Amino acid sequence: MDGKKDPPTASSGHPMETKKRLGKKKRNRDCEEEPPTKKKSPCIISDPTDSHRTTPKKLDNNPRTGEFPPRPMVREVTAPPRLDHFIFHKELGSGSYGKVFLASHPSNGKHVALKIVKKRLLLEDSRRSVLVERRALEVTAHSHVFTHCYATFQTEDYVFYAMEYITGGELRNFMDRRAPCDMETTRFISAEIVCGLQYLHGRGVIHRDLKPENILMDTTGHIKISDFGLAALNIFGNKKMRDRAGTAGYMAPEVMCMNPYNASVDYFSFGVILYELVVGRYPFYKGGNSARIRRSIRQLQYPEDMSSTIRSILEGLFCKSCNQRQQFCDAIRNHSFFEGVNWEEAEEGILCPPYIMDPTPADDYNETIPLDVVLWEEEEEDKSPISPEDERLFCGFSFTSHKWR
C-alpha cells in the first residue's frame, strides 16, 4: 500500500467497477446462499449476510428526575461499508496491485486509508492466496503494533480494505530526515519491531516484505507494521516455505535462492532496517541483480566506528543459516543491545518514544475526487471476465470490525 517503491514479487498480491456499474445488481458477493455461522468472533463479523443490527441498551431512567439520560452523540454504523458510502479526497500511494486513497465516511466521521486492489491481478498472481492479507489483518487486529483494518468489502472487479489512517508517515521518511539515529531512538524502534515480529510468528504468520516503506509511524512516534499482501500463514514448528516473495534488497539469501526458509527471514529484513537506522545508508548492493546482492551480503563491511553491541546484533540478524538465525532471534530480547527495555510496556504500546515527531500538515477534506477517477479500468476489449469459479475464491472476504461500528 505504499507508493513509489520497489515492486515486490510473490505468490500473493494486492488490489471497482466503473461508475455506470454502481447501480447494477451485483452477483453474489460473499456466499450469501450459505447460512451465517452460529459462533461469531467478538471482534469480527465475517459474513455480510449476518445481521449487522445491534440491539440498543435499555437506558435506565434517573430515579431522582424520572428522565432518561441523554444519548451519546457518536453515531453507530450498523451496516457494513459500501463503495458509495465513501468520499475520496486524495491519492496516498500506488503499487503494482492497486492504489490507496484518503477517504472519509460521513456516517461515522472516520477518515481511512482505503486500499483498492484489482481482483484480476490477485488471480493472475496466485489463486490460492487471494484471502491471505484479509486473514492476516484479522490475526493482527488486537495488537497496537499493526495498522488496524476497519472493514473489507468487494465489488465485481475489486476488493477494498478500509484501513486505519496513520498520519505520521513511513519509517522511510523518518530515516531520510534523521538517520543515522542515536542509540535510544534506534533501540525504541527496534524493540517495537521485535514485538511485532514475535506477535506474528507466534501466530504462524511470516510477513515476508518487511521494509521501511511498510512500517508506518503515528503522530507520537510509535510504529505500525502494514501491508500483508505477501504474508505466509499457518507456518508453525518445523514447517518451511520455498517460494520467492518480498522486495529485492530486503530478502534473506535463502528466499532469493528459493531454498527452504522459516520465520527468521523477517529478522534478516529487520537487520537491514537496523543497519539503515544506525549507519544512515543501505548496507548492500542496491540494484536488481540478485547475484550481486547475495555477493554483497557475504562481503558486508561494518563501519570501523560501529559499537561492538550493534555489530553483534547485526551479525546475528545477518547469519547465513536460517536455523542459526532463528536460534539467535529466539533470545534476541536478552541481547545487550536491548538492555533496559521494559518489554511489557513495549508490548502494550506505552513506552514513551525518545523523540518528538515532526508536525504533519493538515489534510484538506474539502477537496474530493470523482469515483470514476478513483476506479481505473482497462479497455473493455482487454478485460477478461472473472469466472464464477474464481469469484468463489473471494467467498468470505468481507468483514467488519467492531471499531468501525
Side-chain angles (χ1 to χ4, degrees), residues 366-384:
N366 293 320
E367 291 191 15
T368 60
I369 302 176
L371 193 57
D372 57 354
V373 175
V374 172
L375 305 182
W376 72 110
E377 290 284 352
E378 307 96 339
E379 293 297 327
E380 198 67 31
E381 58 266 24
D382 297 330
K383 182 177 165 183
S384 57

Side-chain angles (χ1 to χ4, degrees), residues 137-335:
L137 289 169
E138 191 168 359
V139 169
T140 61
H142 300 287
S143 173
H144 72 93
V145 190
F146 306 96
T147 51
H148 184 77
C149 182
Y150 292 121
T152 58
F153 57 100
Q154 59 181 301
T155 61
E156 185 177 348
D157 296 313
Y158 297 85
V159 293
F160 305 86
Y161 303 81
M163 304 294 300
E164 175 185 13
Y165 178 44
I166 309 298
T167 59
E170 299 172 354
L171 178 59
R172 168 63 66 202
N173 305 132
F174 181 89
M175 293 194 304
D176 287 344
R177 296 191 303 268
R178 305 197 184 193
C181 299
D182 59 75
M183 181 66 79
E184 289 301 313
T185 295
T186 304
R187 183 182 290 114
F188 173 83
I189 294 173
S190 298
E192 292 205 324
I193 293 176
V194 167
C195 286
L197 293 182
Q198 291 182 339
Y199 184 96
L200 287 177
H201 299 166
R203 290 157 179 80
V205 180
I206 309 178
H207 190 284
R208 301 204 297 181
D209 198 23
L210 191 71
K211 56 185 176 181
E213 291 81 359
N214 285 344
I215 300 176
L216 307 180
M217 304 182 77
D218 64 22
T219 53
T220 63
H222 290 280
I223 70 158
K224 302 277 188 178
I225 299 174
S226 67
D227 204 333
F228 292 90
L230 303 185
L233 307 181
N234 301 315
I235 310 299
F236 294 100
N238 296 323
K239 185 177 179 180
K240 293 188 177 182
M241 307 287 294
R242 295 187 71 100
D243 54 319
R244 195 172 190 267
T247 298
Y250 291 87
M251 288 184 196
E254 60 268 28
V255 181
M256 287 188 280
C257 297
M258 299 181 70
N259 293 329
Y261 60 85
N262 54 24
S264 69
V265 297
D266 284 344
Y267 283 104
F268 183 94
S269 304
F270 164 52
V272 180
I273 296 171
L274 177 56
Y275 188 102
E276 291 182 283
L277 283 167
V278 173
V279 180
R281 61 177 175 81
Y282 180 73
F284 310 126
Y285 161 75
K286 200 169 186 178
N289 188 312
S290 297
R292 289 189 63 181
I293 294 175
R294 292 194 298 271
R295 187 162 58 250
S296 68
I297 292 174
R298 293 193 300 269
Q299 301 170 352
L300 175 62
Q301 300 293 318
Y302 295 97
E304 293 182 0
D305 59 347
M306 178 178 284
S307 72
S308 59
T309 300
I310 294 290
R311 177 162 179 164
S312 171
I313 191 171
L314 285 173
E315 287 176 342
L317 294 170
F318 290 146
C319 181
K320 297 178 181 64
S321 166
C322 66
N323 290 328
Q324 292 180 16
R325 189 189 313 131
Q326 186 64 61
Q327 293 175 6
F328 172 83
C329 294
D330 287 342
I332 196 169
R333 292 191 180 194
N334 298 323
H335 195 277

